Amino acid sequence: TTTDLVAIEPRLPDALRSLSPRQRAAVVLVHAHGYGLTEAAELLGISVSALRNHVARGLRHLRAVLEEDSGE
């Protein structure tokens, strides 16, 4: 079998650690593990609206941190 390797930004783990625990969990569940919004919200015990906010804020923070670190 062929294993597909995914290139991961080397600074991503540190950037993820800089998020709040809720933001990190929301981003990882939705974007890394592919959970739907409803399922991820249920797992975290929050509303879908709150989950969307955590994901949006988390992604915005990650972009800012990674762009800042790259000098862009």
Side-chain angles (χ1 to χ4, degrees):
T1 63
T2 302
T3 302
D4 293 328
L5 296 177
V6 177
I8 296 177
E9 164 61 55
R11 297 167 298 151
L12 184 58
D14 286 337
L16 283 167
R17 279 190 285 278
S18 73
L19 297 176
S20 73
R22 246 329 130 86
Q23 288 174 352
R24 185 171 45 253
V27 168
V28 169
L29 285 173
V30 173
H31 289 283
H33 294 293
Y35 281 85
L37 296 178
T38 301
E39 189 175 16
E42 287 175 5
L43 284 170
L44 295 175
I46 59 177
S47 69
V48 172
S49 176
L51 178 80
R52 280 191 188 111
N53 287 333
H54 288 306
V55 170
R57 289 180 184 139
L59 290 177
R60 188 168 44 248
H61 180 80
L62 289 174
R63 284 186 195 103
V65 167
L66 293 172
E67 287 174 3
E68 177 183 289
D69 288 349
S70 69
E72 292 178 11

